C-alpha cells in the first residue's frame, strides 16, 4: 500500500495561530491525511492544536513530538483525552525525550534516563486514557490515585514515539503505536526499520500495529534554486545547531565526517560554511527540494521505502508561509 501523505507544519514560529489554522485547512482541502505540529520554540502545541481542531473538520491532528520532561505523564494523558474530545476523535499524540540542548538548555531539567522515561510515559498515558485509577510504581515515576474526572475517550488516541537511535526506535516498536522519524536518508531508514521490527518482535506484536511516519523536509518552488537553498540551510541548522543528536544520527547513517564538519563549522559561527557542506548528494538523501517536478521525484524515493506508512511534507524553517503552501500544493496526494 502506498504511503499516506501528511503535513508537518513549519517548525519556525508563524505570524499567528490563525496562520497555523489556515495552513491546516489548506492541507485538509488538498487531501492530506494528517497535520503534525512539533512543539519546539514557537507557540505551545496544545493551544495551537485546539485552534486547529476547531478550525477543521476531517484532517487528523497531533503533535509530532511533545517532550516527556516539561509535562508530567498524567498531564500528557489529560491533554490527549481533551484534544481527542475537541477534535471529535481525530487526535494522535507523539512523544519523545528530545535532547539535552532542549531539555537542559530550554527547560532547565536534567536529561536523565530518556528511554526509561519515555517508556514509563507511554505506560502512564495509556492508563490515564483508559479512565481507570492510575497507580504506578516505576523507576522514574510513582503515581497513586490519579483518575480522569470526565469520561475517557471512547476511542483512545494512539501514542507515537519519536526517536533516532537504535534503542529509541526499538522502544517505539516494542511499546508505542507508532514511530516518528526525522532527518533520515533512505538507507538510514532501512537500518532503523530493522530496529523497529526487533522491538515489535520483543513485544510480541504485529508490525502492522505500529505506524511509521517519516517527516521529510520538502520545498517545491518554481524557483528551484531557492527551494534547494532553503532545504540546505534547514539541514545545516539541525545537524549543526540542535545539539548532538541529529549530528550523531547522520553519522550513524554513513555521513560521519561531513556530519562532524557541519557541526564544527556551525559551532564556530561559520553558518555559511556549514550550509555549503550540505552538498547536493546529501541534500537529495535528506529532503525533496527543487522545482515541483524534481521535488516530486525525490519525494517518491522516500514514499517507496518498504515499512514507511506515512510521509509528512515538512517545510524548511526559512520558508515563507506562501512557500510552505506552494510546496503543499505541489506535493499534494
Amino acid at each position: 500500500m502506498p504511503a499516506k501523505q501528511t503535513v508537518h507544519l513549519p517548525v519556525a514560529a508563524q505570524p499567528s495561530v490563525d496562520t497555523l489554522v489556515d495552513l491546516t485547512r489548506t492541507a485538509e482541502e488538498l487531501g492530506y491525511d494528517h497535520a503534525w505540529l512539533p512543539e519546539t520554540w514557537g507557540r505551545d502545541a496544545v493551544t495551537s492544536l485546539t485552534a486547529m481542531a476547531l478550525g477543521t473538520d476531517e484532517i487528523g491532528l497531533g503533535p509530532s513530538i511533545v517532550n516527556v520532561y516539561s509535562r508530567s505523564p498524567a498531564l500528557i494523558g489529560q491533554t490527549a483525552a481533551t484534544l481527542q474530545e475537541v477534535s471529535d476523535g481525530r487526535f494522535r499524540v507523539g512523544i519523545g525525550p528530545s535532547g539535552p540542548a532542549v531539555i537542559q538548555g530550554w527547560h532547565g531539567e536534567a536529561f536523565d534516563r530518556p528511554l526509561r522515561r519515555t517508556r514509563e510515559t507511554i505506560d502512564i498515558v495509556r492508563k490515564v486514557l483508559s479512565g481507570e485509577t492510575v497507580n504506578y510504581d516505576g523507576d522514574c515515576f510513582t503515581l497513586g490515585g490519579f483518575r480522569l474526572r470526565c469520561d475517557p475517550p471512547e476511542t483512545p488516541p494512539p501514542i507515537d514515539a519519536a526517536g533516532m537511535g537504535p534503542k529509541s526506535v526499538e522502544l517505539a516498536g516494542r511499546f508505542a503505536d507508532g514511530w516518528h522519524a526525522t532527518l533520515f536518508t533512505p538507507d538510514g531508514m532501512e537500518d532503523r526499520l530493522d530496529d523497529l521490527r526487533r522491538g515489535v518482535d520483543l513485544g510480541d506484536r504485529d508490525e502492522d500495529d505500529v505506524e511509521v511516519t517519516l517527516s521529510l523536509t520538502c520545498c517545491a518552488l518554481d524557483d528551484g534554486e531557492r527551494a534547494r537553498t532553503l532545504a540546505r540551510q534547514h539541514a545545516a541548522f539541525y545537524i549543526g545547531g540542535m545539539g548532538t543528536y541529529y549530528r550523531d544520527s547522520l553519522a550513524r547513517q554513513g555521513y560521519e565526517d561531513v556530519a562532524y564538519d557541519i557541526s564544527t563549522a556551525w559551532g564556530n559561527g561559520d553558518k555559511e560554511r556549514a550550509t555549503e557542506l550540505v552538498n547536493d548528494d546529501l541534500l537529495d538523501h535528506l529532503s525533496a527540494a527543487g522545482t515541483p517536478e524534481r521535488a516530486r521525484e525525490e519525494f517518491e524515493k522516500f514514499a517507496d521505502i518498504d515499512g514507511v506508512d506515512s510521509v509528512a511534507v515538512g517545510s524548511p524553517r526559512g520558508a515563507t508561509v506562501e512557500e510552505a503552501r506552494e510546496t503543499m500544493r505541489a506535493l499534494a496526494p
Side-chain angles (χ1 to χ4, degrees):
M1 180 181 294
K4 295 182 294 186
Q5 284 178 236
T6 60
V7 167
H8 193 277
L9 294 179
V11 295
Q14 297 302 300
S16 68
V17 173
D18 286 343
T19 305
L20 293 170
V21 175
D22 191 47
L23 285 169
T24 308
R25 284 198 195 105
T26 298
E28 185 173 64
E29 292 165 1
L30 291 170
Y32 285 95
D33 186 77
H34 205 101
W36 301 105
L37 179 70
E39 187 167 69
T40 52
W41 53 84
R43 294 173 180 85
D44 79 278
V46 178
T47 308
S48 302
L49 284 161
T50 301
M52 290 157 57
L54 294 174
T56 56
D57 297 312
E58 298 179 354
I59 192 168
L61 300 166
S64 51
I65 180 172
V66 291
N67 77 70
V68 296
Y69 291 88
S70 60
R71 291 183 178 89
S72 73
L75 179 57
I76 294 173
Q78 286 178 277
T79 301
T82 306
L83 280 167
Q84 182 73 324
E85 177 183 352
V86 171
S87 68
D88 293 324
R90 294 181 282 143
F91 189 66
R92 191 175 185 109
V93 59
I95 65 169
S98 190
V102 172
I103 302 308
Q104 294 174 180
W106 297 0
H107 295 287
E109 297 287 339
F111 189 71
D112 182 51
R113 304 187 71 180
L115 293 179
R116 186 67 197 181
R117 193 177 182 103
T118 302
R119 155 75 189 281
E120 292 189 12
T121 296
I122 293 171
D123 289 344
I124 294 167
V125 171
R126 280 213 179 102
K127 289 179 181 292
V128 170
L129 291 170
S130 75
E132 299 174 2
T133 300
V134 181
N135 295 304
Y136 189 86
D137 185 15
D139 295 332
C140 297
F141 299 103
T142 301
L143 282 71
F146 180 86
R147 184 170 70 85
L148 285 176
R149 298 299 175 184
C150 59
D151 291 337
E154 184 175 335
T155 302
I159 305 167
D160 298 341
M164 292 181 286
K167 287 299 181 183
S168 63
V169 178
E170 179 187 297
L171 182 148
R174 189 172 182 181
F175 299 108
D177 298 309
W179 169 45
H180 276 270
T182 303
L183 209 71
F184 277 95
T185 69
D187 287 346
M189 276 299 293
E190 296 284 1
D191 290 341
R192 293 292 77 79
L193 283 166
D194 287 341
D195 298 319
L196 185 85
R197 294 180 184 111
R198 183 171 62 251
V200 167
D201 289 342
L202 288 170
D204 194 23
R205 308 175 72 197
D206 189 321
E207 189 177 342
D208 290 339
D209 293 334
V210 183
E211 184 163 309
V212 175
T213 299
L214 170 61
S215 179
L216 180 66
T217 303
C218 299
C219 200
L221 306 175
D222 289 336
D223 185 347
E225 280 308 307
R226 173 164 170 78
R228 291 182 67 77
T229 296
L230 287 168
R232 207 183 304 274
Q233 291 169 343
H234 183 91
F237 169 76
Y238 270 82
I239 298 163
M242 285 293 288
T244 60
Y245 46 107
Y246 289 102
R247 179 200 70 190
D248 292 346
S249 175
L250 184 61
R252 283 191 294 268
Q253 297 175 65
Y255 288 90
E256 183 173 4
D257 289 344
V258 71
Y260 279 83
D261 288 345
I262 292 168
S263 179
T264 299
W266 193 280
N268 290 335
D270 193 349
K271 296 179 182 179
E272 184 175 343
R273 175 59 180 160
T275 301
E276 290 173 353
L277 286 165
V278 182
N279 61 31
D280 284 337
D281 176 71
L282 178 56
L283 186 65
D284 287 341
H285 280 83
L286 290 175
S287 64
T291 62
E293 294 77 16
R294 179 170 186 174
R296 170 63 71 178
E297 183 177 332
E298 298 295 338
F299 182 89
E300 293 301 330
K301 292 190 312 189
F302 295 89
D304 288 342
I305 298 172
D306 186 29
V308 172
D309 301 297
S310 171
V311 180
V313 174
S315 294
R317 56 194 294 269
T320 66
V321 173
E322 191 47 49
E323 286 170 335
R325 202 187 314 275
E326 187 177 340
T327 295
M328 287 164 57
R329 290 192 182 111
L331 299 178

